[in-house]
Amino acid sequence: MIRVGVVGACGRMGLMVCRTVAEQPDLALEAAVDRSRIGESIGPLIGDPKVDVPVSDELDRLLEARIEVAVDFTHPSVVMANVRWC
């Protein structure tokens, strides 16, 4: 099982990525990072209420969740800072 975190998780594309990751048997959605909907579970937002991953606004959540793959769907003005952080 590959542990995945999505940065920009609550945007249109981020939600699609979260949904796709959650549907895959060999992937586990373990972190959702976004500036909006902080503290909400991503599951209901992607139509899968059994996915209980709270949205965080901190990149450190990726470390806490021990993710192996980060997918970034943020704004171009912040993506490079996120890449450097990773």
Side-chain angles (χ1 to χ4, degrees):
M1 185 74 64
I2 300 171
R3 300 172 67 85
V4 180
V6 179
V7 183
C10 294
R12 190 182 72 227
M13 291 303 296
L15 289 170
M16 291 178 73
V17 171
C18 288
R19 183 178 308 113
T20 300
V21 168
E23 291 172 347
Q24 303 308 307
D26 57 342
L27 302 177
L29 181 61
E30 298 292 338
V33 178
D34 203 284
R35 298 184 304 177
S36 65
R37 300 186 176 251
I38 299 160
E40 290 184 46
S41 178
I42 197 75
L45 300 175
I46 62 171
D48 191 348
K50 66 181 181 283
V51 175
D52 187 24
V53 174
V55 177
S56 173
D57 63 344
E58 298 291 329
L59 289 173
D60 285 345
R61 180 67 193 124
L62 301 173
L63 293 174
E64 293 164 3
R66 299 181 356 253
I67 63 115
E68 299 168 281
V69 174
V71 178
D72 190 306
F73 262 99
T74 59
H75 192 270
S77 65
V78 297
V79 71
M80 290 311 295
N82 293 343
V83 169
R84 282 189 290 276
W85 183 91
C86 287

